[in-house]
mmCIF file of all heavy atoms in Angstrom:
data_model
loop_
_atom_site.group_PDB
_atom_site.id
_atom_site.type_symbol
_atom_site.label_atom_id
_atom_site.label_comp_id
_atom_site.label_asym_id
_atom_site.label_seq_id
_atom_site.Cartn_x
_atom_site.Cartn_y
_atom_site.Cartn_z
ATOM 1 N N GLY P 1204 191.388 -109.484 14.603
ATOM 2 C CA GLY P 1204 190.613 -110.482 13.882
ATOM 3 C C GLY P 1204 189.930 -109.893 12.664
ATOM 4 O O GLY P 1204 189.395 -108.782 12.727
ATOM 5 N N CYS P 1205 189.961 -110.638 11.554
ATOM 6 C CA CYS P 1205 189.360 -110.166 10.313
ATOM 7 C C CYS P 1205 187.888 -110.572 10.245
ATOM 8 O O CYS P 1205 187.358 -111.230 11.142
ATOM 9 C CB CYS P 1205 190.118 -110.727 9.110
ATOM 10 S SG CYS P 1205 190.014 -112.534 8.984
ATOM 11 N N TYR P 1206 187.234 -110.198 9.166
ATOM 12 C CA TYR P 1206 185.806 -110.494 8.984
ATOM 13 C C TYR P 1206 185.548 -111.993 9.039
ATOM 14 O O TYR P 1206 184.589 -112.437 9.673
ATOM 15 C CB TYR P 1206 185.337 -109.920 7.644
ATOM 16 C CG TYR P 1206 184.006 -110.469 7.196
ATOM 17 C CD1 TYR P 1206 182.810 -109.967 7.726
ATOM 18 C CD2 TYR P 1206 183.934 -111.513 6.275
ATOM 19 C CE1 TYR P 1206 181.592 -110.483 7.339
ATOM 20 C CE2 TYR P 1206 182.709 -112.026 5.883
ATOM 21 C CZ TYR P 1206 181.544 -111.515 6.420
ATOM 22 O OH TYR P 1206 180.343 -112.044 6.032
ATOM 23 N N PHE P 1207 186.393 -112.786 8.374
ATOM 24 C CA PHE P 1207 186.162 -114.221 8.307
ATOM 25 C C PHE P 1207 186.229 -114.847 9.694
ATOM 26 O O PHE P 1207 185.471 -115.767 10.006
ATOM 27 C CB PHE P 1207 187.178 -114.884 7.377
ATOM 28 C CG PHE P 1207 187.052 -114.456 5.947
ATOM 29 C CD1 PHE P 1207 187.894 -113.500 5.424
ATOM 30 C CD2 PHE P 1207 186.077 -114.997 5.134
ATOM 31 C CE1 PHE P 1207 187.777 -113.082 4.111
ATOM 32 C CE2 PHE P 1207 185.939 -114.593 3.818
ATOM 33 C CZ PHE P 1207 186.799 -113.631 3.301
ATOM 34 N N PHE P 1208 187.134 -114.339 10.545
ATOM 35 C CA PHE P 1208 187.241 -114.885 11.900
ATOM 36 C C PHE P 1208 185.974 -114.596 12.698
ATOM 37 O O PHE P 1208 185.383 -115.498 13.304
ATOM 38 C CB PHE P 1208 188.457 -114.299 12.613
ATOM 39 C CG PHE P 1208 188.518 -114.661 14.069
ATOM 40 C CD1 PHE P 1208 189.004 -115.893 14.463
ATOM 41 C CD2 PHE P 1208 188.067 -113.780 15.041
ATOM 42 C CE1 PHE P 1208 189.041 -116.246 15.810
ATOM 43 C CE2 PHE P 1208 188.095 -114.115 16.383
ATOM 44 C CZ PHE P 1208 188.593 -115.357 16.763
ATOM 45 N N TRP P 1209 185.543 -113.335 12.694
ATOM 46 C CA TRP P 1209 184.380 -112.973 13.507
ATOM 47 C C TRP P 1209 183.102 -113.598 12.968
ATOM 48 O O TRP P 1209 182.203 -113.957 13.734
ATOM 49 C CB TRP P 1209 184.245 -111.445 13.582
ATOM 50 C CG TRP P 1209 185.358 -110.817 14.346
ATOM 51 C CD1 TRP P 1209 186.358 -110.026 13.877
ATOM 52 C CD2 TRP P 1209 185.608 -110.970 15.752
ATOM 53 N NE1 TRP P 1209 187.205 -109.667 14.889
ATOM 54 C CE2 TRP P 1209 186.773 -110.227 16.044
ATOM 55 C CE3 TRP P 1209 184.964 -111.642 16.780
ATOM 56 C CZ2 TRP P 1209 187.304 -110.159 17.333
ATOM 57 C CZ3 TRP P 1209 185.485 -111.583 18.064
ATOM 58 C CH2 TRP P 1209 186.642 -110.845 18.327
ATOM 59 N N ASN P 1210 183.013 -113.740 11.665
ATOM 60 C CA ASN P 1210 181.860 -114.412 11.100
ATOM 61 C C ASN P 1210 181.822 -115.879 11.533
ATOM 62 O O ASN P 1210 180.743 -116.434 11.779
ATOM 63 C CB ASN P 1210 181.886 -114.328 9.572
ATOM 64 C CG ASN P 1210 180.656 -114.954 8.942
ATOM 65 O OD1 ASN P 1210 179.535 -114.513 9.142
ATOM 66 N ND2 ASN P 1210 180.874 -116.005 8.163
ATOM 67 N N HIS P 1211 182.993 -116.495 11.650
ATOM 68 C CA HIS P 1211 183.040 -117.897 12.076
ATOM 69 C C HIS P 1211 182.592 -118.047 13.527
ATOM 70 O O HIS P 1211 181.753 -118.898 13.841
ATOM 71 C CB HIS P 1211 184.452 -118.451 11.909
ATOM 72 C CG HIS P 1211 184.626 -119.804 12.525
ATOM 73 N ND1 HIS P 1211 184.186 -120.960 11.922
ATOM 74 C CD2 HIS P 1211 185.157 -120.183 13.721
ATOM 75 C CE1 HIS P 1211 184.444 -121.991 12.701
ATOM 76 N NE2 HIS P 1211 185.034 -121.542 13.800
ATOM 77 N N VAL P 1212 183.150 -117.238 14.429
ATOM 78 C CA VAL P 1212 182.835 -117.426 15.850
ATOM 79 C C VAL P 1212 181.396 -117.041 16.169
ATOM 80 O O VAL P 1212 180.856 -117.454 17.204
ATOM 81 C CB VAL P 1212 183.830 -116.649 16.746
ATOM 82 C CG1 VAL P 1212 185.227 -117.203 16.590
ATOM 83 C CG2 VAL P 1212 183.789 -115.159 16.435
ATOM 84 N N LEU P 1213 180.750 -116.251 15.300
ATOM 85 C CA LEU P 1213 179.328 -115.969 15.507
ATOM 86 C C LEU P 1213 178.480 -117.224 15.327
ATOM 87 O O LEU P 1213 177.324 -117.265 15.740
ATOM 88 C CB LEU P 1213 178.852 -114.882 14.540
ATOM 89 C CG LEU P 1213 179.145 -113.440 14.942
ATOM 90 C CD1 LEU P 1213 178.701 -112.489 13.846
ATOM 91 C CD2 LEU P 1213 178.475 -113.091 16.266
ATOM 92 N N HIS P 1214 179.062 -118.234 14.704
ATOM 93 C CA HIS P 1214 178.363 -119.514 14.524
ATOM 94 C C HIS P 1214 178.774 -120.539 15.583
ATOM 95 O O HIS P 1214 178.536 -121.734 15.407
ATOM 96 C CB HIS P 1214 178.635 -120.075 13.126
ATOM 97 C CG HIS P 1214 177.955 -119.322 12.030
ATOM 98 N ND1 HIS P 1214 178.433 -118.124 11.548
ATOM 99 C CD2 HIS P 1214 176.817 -119.581 11.342
ATOM 100 C CE1 HIS P 1214 177.625 -117.683 10.590
ATOM 101 N NE2 HIS P 1214 176.648 -118.545 10.446
ATOM 102 N N ARG P 1215 179.397 -120.090 16.662
ATOM 103 C CA ARG P 1215 179.787 -120.985 17.753
ATOM 104 C C ARG P 1215 179.138 -120.540 19.060
ATOM 105 O O ARG P 1215 178.869 -119.357 19.272
ATOM 106 C CB ARG P 1215 181.312 -121.007 17.927
ATOM 107 C CG ARG P 1215 182.043 -121.847 16.890
ATOM 108 C CD ARG P 1215 183.526 -121.937 17.207
ATOM 109 N NE ARG P 1215 184.232 -122.789 16.259
ATOM 110 C CZ ARG P 1215 184.421 -124.090 16.418
ATOM 111 N NH1 ARG P 1215 183.963 -124.686 17.504
ATOM 112 N NH2 ARG P 1215 185.059 -124.795 15.515
ATOM 113 N N ARG P 1216 178.934 -121.510 19.938
ATOM 114 C CA ARG P 1216 178.385 -121.225 21.257
ATOM 115 C C ARG P 1216 179.481 -120.626 22.147
ATOM 116 O O ARG P 1216 180.609 -121.117 22.165
ATOM 117 C CB ARG P 1216 177.845 -122.497 21.897
ATOM 118 C CG ARG P 1216 177.069 -122.248 23.193
ATOM 119 C CD ARG P 1216 176.520 -123.543 23.761
ATOM 120 N NE ARG P 1216 175.739 -124.278 22.773
ATOM 121 C CZ ARG P 1216 174.465 -123.999 22.491
ATOM 122 N NH1 ARG P 1216 173.859 -122.989 23.095
ATOM 123 N NH2 ARG P 1216 173.820 -124.724 21.593
ATOM 124 N N VAL P 1217 179.157 -119.569 22.851
ATOM 125 C CA VAL P 1217 180.109 -118.927 23.759
ATOM 126 C C VAL P 1217 180.075 -119.650 25.098
ATOM 127 O O VAL P 1217 179.023 -119.736 25.747
ATOM 128 C CB VAL P 1217 179.783 -117.432 23.950
ATOM 129 C CG1 VAL P 1217 180.748 -116.803 24.943
ATOM 130 C CG2 VAL P 1217 179.839 -116.700 22.613
ATOM 131 N N LEU P 1218 181.223 -120.161 25.521
ATOM 132 C CA LEU P 1218 181.307 -120.899 26.783
ATOM 133 C C LEU P 1218 181.783 -120.029 27.941
ATOM 134 O O LEU P 1218 181.341 -120.203 29.065
ATOM 135 C CB LEU P 1218 182.240 -122.110 26.614
ATOM 136 C CG LEU P 1218 181.856 -123.113 25.524
ATOM 137 C CD1 LEU P 1218 182.859 -124.257 25.494
ATOM 138 C CD2 LEU P 1218 180.442 -123.651 25.746
ATOM 139 N N ARG P 1219 182.692 -119.102 27.653
ATOM 140 C CA ARG P 1219 183.241 -118.272 28.735
ATOM 141 C C ARG P 1219 183.807 -116.989 28.155
ATOM 142 O O ARG P 1219 184.406 -117.002 27.075
ATOM 143 C CB ARG P 1219 184.334 -119.043 29.490
ATOM 144 C CG ARG P 1219 184.796 -118.385 30.768
ATOM 145 C CD ARG P 1219 183.705 -118.389 31.832
ATOM 146 N NE ARG P 1219 184.057 -117.606 32.985
ATOM 147 C CZ ARG P 1219 184.761 -118.053 34.019
ATOM 148 N NH1 ARG P 1219 185.180 -119.325 34.011
ATOM 149 N NH2 ARG P 1219 185.036 -117.293 35.047
ATOM 150 N N VAL P 1220 183.620 -115.892 28.856
ATOM 151 C CA VAL P 1220 184.143 -114.590 28.435
ATOM 152 C C VAL P 1220 184.797 -113.909 29.628
ATOM 153 O O VAL P 1220 184.206 -113.817 30.706
ATOM 154 C CB VAL P 1220 183.022 -113.677 27.890
ATOM 155 C CG1 VAL P 1220 183.602 -112.315 27.508
ATOM 156 C CG2 VAL P 1220 182.338 -114.317 26.698
ATOM 157 N N LEU P 1221 186.026 -113.454 29.423
ATOM 158 C CA LEU P 1221 186.706 -112.605 30.404
ATOM 159 C C LEU P 1221 187.067 -111.307 29.681
ATOM 160 O O LEU P 1221 188.037 -111.263 28.923
ATOM 161 C CB LEU P 1221 187.963 -113.282 30.951
ATOM 162 C CG LEU P 1221 187.785 -114.301 32.068
ATOM 163 C CD1 LEU P 1221 189.125 -114.834 32.536
ATOM 164 C CD2 LEU P 1221 187.041 -113.691 33.254
ATOM 165 N N PRO P 1222 186.272 -110.262 29.873
ATOM 166 C CA PRO P 1222 186.538 -109.017 29.144
ATOM 167 C C PRO P 1222 187.797 -108.316 29.636
ATOM 168 O O PRO P 1222 188.309 -108.606 30.720
ATOM 169 C CB PRO P 1222 185.288 -108.177 29.427
ATOM 170 C CG PRO P 1222 184.749 -108.709 30.717
ATOM 171 C CD PRO P 1222 185.076 -110.170 30.731
ATOM 172 N N ALA P 1223 188.267 -107.396 28.824
ATOM 173 C CA ALA P 1223 189.469 -106.632 29.167
ATOM 174 C C ALA P 1223 189.229 -105.787 30.412
ATOM 175 O O ALA P 1223 188.109 -105.386 30.722
ATOM 176 C CB ALA P 1223 189.867 -105.745 27.990
ATOM 177 N N THR P 1224 190.301 -105.533 31.133
ATOM 178 C CA THR P 1224 190.274 -104.681 32.325
ATOM 179 C C THR P 1224 191.320 -103.588 32.150
ATOM 180 O O THR P 1224 192.192 -103.690 31.280
ATOM 181 C CB THR P 1224 190.583 -105.499 33.589
ATOM 182 O OG1 THR P 1224 191.924 -106.028 33.495
ATOM 183 C CG2 THR P 1224 189.596 -106.654 33.744
ATOM 184 N N PRO P 1225 191.267 -102.524 32.963
ATOM 185 C CA PRO P 1225 192.294 -101.480 32.841
ATOM 186 C C PRO P 1225 193.713 -102.011 33.023
ATOM 187 O O PRO P 1225 194.652 -101.470 32.429
ATOM 188 C CB PRO P 1225 191.913 -100.500 33.970
ATOM 189 C CG PRO P 1225 190.439 -100.699 34.154
ATOM 190 C CD PRO P 1225 190.209 -102.156 33.916
ATOM 191 N N ASP P 1226 193.870 -103.061 33.812
ATOM 192 C CA ASP P 1226 195.201 -103.627 34.033
ATOM 193 C C ASP P 1226 195.606 -104.622 32.949
ATOM 194 O O ASP P 1226 196.802 -104.913 32.795
ATOM 195 C CB ASP P 1226 195.257 -104.325 35.399
ATOM 196 C CG ASP P 1226 195.026 -103.353 36.548
ATOM 197 O OD1 ASP P 1226 195.380 -102.173 36.388
ATOM 198 O OD2 ASP P 1226 194.488 -103.777 37.576
ATOM 199 N N HIS P 1227 194.629 -105.153 32.229
ATOM 200 C CA HIS P 1227 194.921 -106.167 31.209
ATOM 201 C C HIS P 1227 193.929 -105.998 30.060
ATOM 202 O O HIS P 1227 192.840 -106.547 30.089
ATOM 203 C CB HIS P 1227 194.812 -107.573 31.804
ATOM 204 C CG HIS P 1227 195.405 -108.632 30.928
ATOM 205 N ND1 HIS P 1227 196.750 -108.886 30.859
ATOM 206 C CD2 HIS P 1227 194.827 -109.512 30.068
ATOM 207 C CE1 HIS P 1227 196.988 -109.872 30.012
ATOM 208 N NE2 HIS P 1227 195.837 -110.262 29.510
#
């Protein structure tokens, strides 16, 4: 993701996060 993408999502509410795991 580029700067414009991350800057955009910082202006959105986070509903769900599944962080990376060693298997995925």
Side-chain angles (χ1 to χ4, degrees):
C1205 64
Y1206 165 80
F1207 295 100
F1208 172 81
W1209 293 111
N1210 183 63
H1211 171 78
V1212 296
L1213 278 176
H1214 289 78
R1215 283 186 177 269
R1216 188 178 307 279
V1217 178
L1218 302 181
R1219 190 68 188 274
V1220 178
L1221 278 182
T1224 63
D1226 297 330
H1227 194 80

